[in-house]
Amino acid sequence: MENGLEKKYGLPTAICMVVGIVIGSGVFFKAEAVLVQTGGNMPLGILAWLIVGAIMIVCSYVFATMATRYEKVNGVVDYAEATVGKRYAYLMGWFMGTIYTPALTSVLAWVSARYFSVLVGWDITGGSCLVLACFFLCADYALNALSPRIAGKFQVSTTVIKMVPLLLMGVVGVVVGLVNGQMAQNFATISAATVSSGEGLMKATVAVAFAYEGWVLATSINAELKDAKRNLPRALVLGSFVVVITYILYYIGLNGAVTTEELMASGQAAAKMAYQRVFGEAAGTVVFVLIVISCLGTLNGLMLANCRSFYALAARGQGPKPEMFRQVDPVTNMPNNSAIFSLLFAAFWLLYFYGANLTAGWFGPFSFDSSELPIITLYGMYIAMFIQFMRKERTLGAFKRLVMPALGLCGCGFMVYAAFAGYGVKVFYYLVVYAVFMLVGNFFYRKDA
């Protein structure tokens, strides 16, 4: 594949890209979940944020090394092909197109609707929130399908907006919490609920993975980065450090504004409460509006990737009806057939998320959190790539070839262990669903493509 993209980005821009890609709604959505999973244990929650942050930094460095090694190749599916092989790369692309990306897109539509409902005072558990989630899903699809340029500009604008509420709560919330003593009280208080430290940490780690997800997409800027062999690893590592510090500051700051009991009991409503206590009623509401916009921006970024999922397979001659899904609209320059099919998968996963997590378990033992386990699956799929990278790249130095990939393997292995330790038998039921999807996908693999 020839690379005709201009080398136009420097290191500062690249760092901002990494931060903008990774930071989204997850930190707002999962901060309360971490407290619930750890029984209100603040130090244990901070440890979960640190562990997953460290894993992200290590894995992003390994992928950055791959990006510089395979300079004409962009994206995790292409790295899978270069390290493991074509069939493995296809199956990873199929997984991302049918489970990973549409599942996360659907969850983001629900999260955006939930925070919007909190903002206007609507019920966050009833039908109004779900209808709003469906509207956001369809509206963002229409924006991407009909006007990709506007969708791109919206994505850039929301990147800046994302940082404002995080930094404000991270700095001001910490100061307020230290002054009023709320911080010390929350650090000393653990909920009366019986939660073992080990199980709580594992569940919190899986929950935090959602907030950190997206970093692997940053490797796609390699083709447009000046001196990519030096700057991409720097951007990924420095950008990852910025994300980790920002997330932990926000998590601590939030606990400086409200009690752990309030945060665990009220969920998203407690986040609004925290901003209003720190900044006042009016200013707190304004900042909360920025959170809603941030969530919509993250939804837009995921929908942007989701619309292209089947096109990416079809462009390789793979998947169902490649001649249909690789068609590009001459006016909008969008693969509309791919976008329509991807919207169908996102709608399916929104239906599943509601039935499995927001009501009385429509799917019985097959009810799992589609915002978490697909992310852990991707970490599991990285393992084969890291092993093959260590085996094949004999000309690299020991640090890049052995040390960092080995640490990445440990991190990925820990994430898989955390899923089994935290969720037990639910993981096996999820793996049944995963296996069915992958068997169907394998049916569409073409050896001669």
Side-chain angles (χ1 to χ4, degrees):
M1 291 183 289
E2 290 299 320
N3 179 7
L5 296 174
E6 180 186 351
K7 302 278 189 179
K8 53 182 175 288
Y9 298 128
L11 180 60
T13 304
I15 293 172
C16 290
M17 283 182 174
V18 173
V19 173
I21 289 169
V22 176
I23 287 182
S25 66
V27 65
F28 305 116
F29 176 35
K30 293 297 184 180
E32 310 90 50
V34 171
L35 273 177
V36 172
Q37 303 291 14
T38 58
N41 190 321
M42 276 282 291
L44 204 61
I46 294 172
L47 180 59
W49 289 98
L50 283 171
I51 288 173
V52 183
I55 293 172
M56 178 187 73
I57 291 169
V58 171
C59 290
S60 65
Y61 184 90
V62 177
F63 273 101
T65 305
M66 289 184 186
T68 59
R69 197 67 175 169
Y70 318 121
E71 196 166 1
K72 293 182 180 179
V73 183
N74 294 293
V76 64
V77 175
D78 293 308
Y79 300 154
E81 182 176 323
T83 54
V84 184
K86 286 187 176 181
R87 184 185 290 269
Y88 193 83
Y90 163 73
L91 290 174
M92 177 171 278
W94 176 264
F95 164 72
M96 295 183 76
T98 58
I99 300 179
Y100 175 84
T101 310
L104 295 187
T105 303
S106 67
V107 171
L108 258 297
W110 173 77
V111 171
S112 301
R114 193 171 172 90
Y115 275 107
F116 184 88
S117 297
V118 171
L119 181 66
V120 298
W122 293 352
D123 179 19
I124 62 175
T125 59
S128 59
C129 185
L130 185 63
V131 170
L132 190 59
C134 293
F135 170 75
F136 283 154
L137 191 69
C138 294
D140 202 57
Y141 159 77
L143 177 65
N144 278 273
L146 299 177
S147 184
R149 288 189 176 183
I150 294 178
K153 291 179 180 178
F154 179 67
Q155 187 64 23
V156 172
S157 301
T158 55
T159 297
V160 178
I161 293 172
K162 290 175 186 180
M163 294 298 293
V164 175
L166 286 170
L167 291 177
L168 282 175
M169 180 56 73
V171 176
V172 181
V174 168
V175 173
V176 170
L178 290 173
V179 172
N180 63 16
Q182 186 65 66
M183 189 81 66
Q185 179 183 335
N186 282 351
F187 266 90
T189 302
I190 298 178
S191 171
T194 304
V195 178
S196 69
S197 296
E199 180 185 355
L201 179 61
M202 296 303 104
K203 286 187 175 181
T205 298
V206 175
V208 167
F210 178 86
Y212 281 115
E213 194 54 25
W215 57 266
V216 72
L217 302 177
T219 57
S220 64
I221 66 175
N222 176 58
E224 301 166 82
L225 189 60
K226 297 175 183 177
D227 195 7
K229 290 187 176 181
R230 294 180 60 194
N231 285 336
L232 186 55
R234 290 177 178 180
L236 281 166
V237 173
L238 291 174
S240 297
F241 272 111
V242 171
V243 172
V244 173
I245 293 169
T246 302
Y247 277 4
I248 292 175
L249 274 176
Y250 171 78
Y251 181 71
I252 296 174
L254 198 64
N255 283 272
V258 293
T259 66
T260 55
E261 289 79 7
E262 287 175 319
L263 197 55
M264 289 188 290
S266 304
Q268 281 79 5
K272 182 182 179 183
M273 183 194 310
Y275 278 98
Q276 290 179 336
R277 285 185 184 177
V278 172
F279 301 104
E281 190 78 19
T285 301
V286 170
V287 175
F288 201 79
V289 169
L290 300 182
I291 293 180
V292 175
I293 295 173
S294 173
C295 292
L296 290 172
T298 307
L299 169 63
N300 181 70
L302 283 168
M303 181 61 76
L304 187 146
N306 190 51
C307 286
R308 292 158 176 79
S309 295
F310 285 91
Y311 171 78
L313 292 176
R316 297 168 173 268
Q318 295 289 359
K321 296 283 185 180
E323 67 280 1
M324 179 176 72
F325 288 116
R326 63 173 166 240
Q327 288 182 3
V328 177
D329 188 279
V331 177
T332 62
N333 196 37
M334 269 291 294
N336 282 333
N337 292 335
S338 169
I340 292 169
F341 202 44
S342 297
L343 177 65
L344 175 63
F345 273 94
F348 164 78
W349 282 109
L350 179 60
L351 175 68
Y352 176 85
F353 183 78
Y354 179 82
N357 298 283
L358 305 179
T359 188
W362 290 355
F363 308 105
F366 292 95
S367 298
F368 58 84
D369 191 338
S370 54
S371 73
E372 295 178 359
L373 292 182
I375 295 173
I376 306 303
T377 307
L378 201 57
Y379 275 101
M381 296 181 81
Y382 294 156
I383 291 174
M385 296 170 61
F386 289 175
I387 291 173
Q388 286 297 93
F389 181 75
M390 295 169 71
R391 189 180 69 84
K392 290 182 175 182
E393 298 301 328
R394 299 179 182 277
T395 58
L396 281 174
F399 183 76
K400 290 185 176 181
R401 180 195 165 199
L402 299 175
V403 176
M404 293 304 286
L407 290 174
L409 283 172
C410 292
C412 292
F414 175 81
M415 295 298 287
V416 173
Y417 168 75
F420 279 96
Y423 288 91
V425 71
K426 282 188 177 182
V427 178
F428 291 101
Y429 287 109
Y430 161 74
L431 289 176
V432 171
V433 176
Y434 168 78
V436 170
F437 271 84
M438 300 308 280
L439 285 172
V440 172
N442 193 61
F443 176 77
F444 293 107
Y445 177 71
R446 292 172 170 82
K447 293 181 180 180
D448 55 348

